[in-house]
Amino acid sequence: MTWAAHYADGAGRRVWPNTELAAFVAGRSFTRVLEAGVGAGGNCRLWGEEAYVVGLDGYLPILPDARRFITRGAVVGGDVRQLPFADGSFDLVIDCLTSQHLPWADHLLLYGEYRRVLELGGWLWLMHLD
């Protein structure tokens, strides 16, 4: 299935936050959040005005959907394996079912990028079904 088909049938247009992610962030404070593979942006509803949120996705037609849910921040197109951000830019990186769509051979590169853009002591929240 292509990304266009995934979003066209409505399956990928989730507009509510992931329940496990919501439980993780409850009681924690984050100020600079990256969602790698933001999709339709449902997880971005968790922050409102309290955090600067960047949503990144490689499927450019879905980016306007994600913009609806980011109050402070930006939505950008890009590849999660080559993040266009400075070292230590975020205190939370979210990968909610993103890395599972990449070949296993790319995971080391991907997680290296997540580590690079996280500040020292920052958090990576990862959900992977494989």
Side-chain angles (χ1 to χ4, degrees):
M1 175 185 296
T2 66
W3 285 114
H6 174 71
Y7 288 115
D9 73 8
R13 293 192 184 275
R14 182 178 51 81
V15 295
W16 60 90
N18 177 282
T19 55
E20 290 87 356
L21 176 60
F24 170 76
V25 301
R28 292 185 169 96
S29 178
F30 298 101
T31 59
R32 295 172 331 278
V33 177
L34 168 64
E35 182 161 6
V38 69
N43 290 331
C44 298
R45 299 177 92 166
L46 291 170
W47 283 273
E49 291 282 338
E50 68 187 68
Y52 185 85
V53 180
V54 175
L56 179 134
D57 207 288
Y59 183 64
L60 302 182
I62 198 64
L63 297 182
D65 288 31
R67 283 188 184 101
R68 298 177 301 167
F69 302 116
I70 295 182
T71 307
R72 279 186 59 225
V75 179
V76 297
D79 187 333
V80 295
R81 294 164 291 195
Q82 296 177 330
L83 296 172
F85 310 110
D87 297 0
S89 295
F90 301 98
D91 55 358
L92 173 63
V93 172
I94 299 166
D95 177 321
C96 186
L97 307 174
T98 298
S99 58
Q100 72 181 24
H101 297 287
L102 297 175
W104 280 110
D106 289 350
H107 283 218
L108 187 58
L109 177 62
L110 172 72
Y111 300 137
E113 279 294 278
Y114 289 166
R115 183 177 183 190
R116 181 184 65 76
V117 300
L118 275 169
E119 69 179 17
L120 186 62
W123 290 83
L124 169 62
W125 189 87
L126 173 66
M127 176 178 256
H128 195 293
L129 298 180
D130 288 342

